[in-house]
């Protein structure tokens, strides 16, 4: 059985995100892991209301910022994927990890 490790990255700092994901891809390729991506998703514009008091009503202008997203997949190479997931990413990047098991083609369920 092969494992596929899916990594989703999100950040408001596009430059740090691009640099981190590119560095990760180069590391994976250097170690010989099969990697798909990084894939970019359209940025999401987020608006956050800012209130002058704890009670509703009086507001400042809302805070607006963009969230940038990238995704990657690591096929097989479980030891390399484990090392990647355990590394420290910059605080400005949110990382989500999902691991799927893929059965070979023609594999029967019992």
């Amino acid at each position: 059985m092969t494992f596929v490790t899916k990594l989703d990255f999100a950040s408001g700092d596009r430059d740090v995100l691009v640099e981190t994901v590119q560095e990760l891809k180069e590391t994976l390729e250097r170690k010989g892991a099969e990697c798909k991506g990084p894939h970019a998703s359209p940025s999401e514009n987020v608006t956050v209301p800012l209130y002058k008091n704890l009670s509703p009503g009086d507001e400042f202008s809302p805070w607006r910022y963009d969230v940038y997203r990238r995704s990657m997949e690591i096929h097989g190479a479980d030891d390399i994927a484990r090392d990647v997931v355990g590394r420290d990413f910059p605080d400005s990047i949110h990382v989500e990890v999902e691991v799927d098991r893929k059965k070979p083609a023609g594999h029967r369920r019992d």
Side-chain angles (χ1 to χ4, degrees):
M1 243 177 263
T2 303
F3 289 92
V4 176
T5 306
K6 296 178 183 179
L7 302 164
D8 291 312
F9 303 91
S11 179
D13 189 340
R14 183 179 184 190
D15 294 335
V16 171
L17 178 65
V18 169
E19 181 182 326
T20 301
V21 171
Q22 187 60 37
E23 179 184 302
L24 180 60
K25 171 130 178 123
E26 291 168 1
T27 301
L28 290 169
E29 288 175 345
R30 195 171 44 250
K31 291 185 175 189
E34 182 184 343
C35 175
K36 293 187 180 181
H39 305 289
S41 298
S43 65
E44 176 186 353
N45 188 286
V46 178
T47 303
V48 180
L50 299 174
Y51 298 99
K52 292 182 180 181
N53 301 320
L54 292 177
S55 58
D58 216 6
E59 296 182 21
F60 292 109
S61 346
W63 177 38
R64 300 182 199 298
Y65 64 98
D66 291 322
V67 175
Y68 304 95
R69 298 186 184 281
R70 300 289 185 274
S71 61
M72 299 175 74
E73 291 183 0
I74 304 170
H75 293 259
D78 303 339
D79 54 333
I80 297 171
R82 193 175 302 112
D83 289 343
V84 166
V85 170
R87 83 193 283 194
D88 289 328
F89 291 99
D91 290 338
S92 62
I93 298 179
H94 175 76
V95 182
E96 291 184 14
V97 179
E98 181 181 333
V99 179
D100 287 335
R101 259 188 335 188
K102 299 291 181 185
K103 295 182 180 178
H107 186 271
R108 280 185 25 191
R109 286 187 172 184
D110 292 334

